[in-house]
Amino acid sequence: YTLIEAGLSKIAAIASNVGGVPEIIEDKKTGLLVEPKNAEALAQAINYLLENENLAKKLGENLHQKIIKDFRLEEMLRKTFELYTQYYDIG
């Protein structure tokens, strides 16, 4: 939920490349991805965005656009329905 909240607020996100995160964060397009458990990479990413305010703003805006496109209720319901119809061969 944190990444969705960041996107709705147009805040640039930095996240680890695990689980469903890459579904939301595309490295250097909708945020920055760092390797999990790598504190140095995380610190570098934070400093990089602090030093590049225009990039941070652009990543926040791109994330916002992705969230409102891909994670609105109607879209999520449509995707869920597609999964069920494919899995159970109904439709």
Side-chain angles (χ1 to χ4, degrees), residues 8-45:
L8 291 174
S9 300
K10 298 183 181 180
I11 296 172
I14 302 168
S16 294
N17 191 6
V18 295
V21 170
E23 186 178 331
I24 300 172
I25 302 298
E26 184 179 340
D27 194 35
K28 298 182 182 94
K29 183 173 181 188
T30 58
L32 297 178
L33 288 176
V34 297
E35 290 302 313
K37 300 181 182 179
N38 187 335
E40 185 176 329
L42 177 60
Q44 288 175 350

Side-chain angles (χ1 to χ4, degrees), residues 41-71:
L42 177 60
Q44 288 175 350
I46 291 169
N47 285 328
Y48 184 71
L49 289 184
L50 288 173
E51 294 169 358
N52 295 280
E53 187 177 322
N54 288 337
L55 175 62
K57 187 174 182 176
K58 180 177 173 141
L59 293 176
E61 181 62 39
N62 289 348
L63 181 56
H64 178 76
Q65 293 303 317
K66 180 167 184 65
I67 296 301
I68 62 173
K69 177 181 174 267
D70 293 347
F71 291 89

Side-chain angles (χ1 to χ4, degrees), residues 6 30 76 83 91:
T30 58
M76 293 178 74
L83 285 173

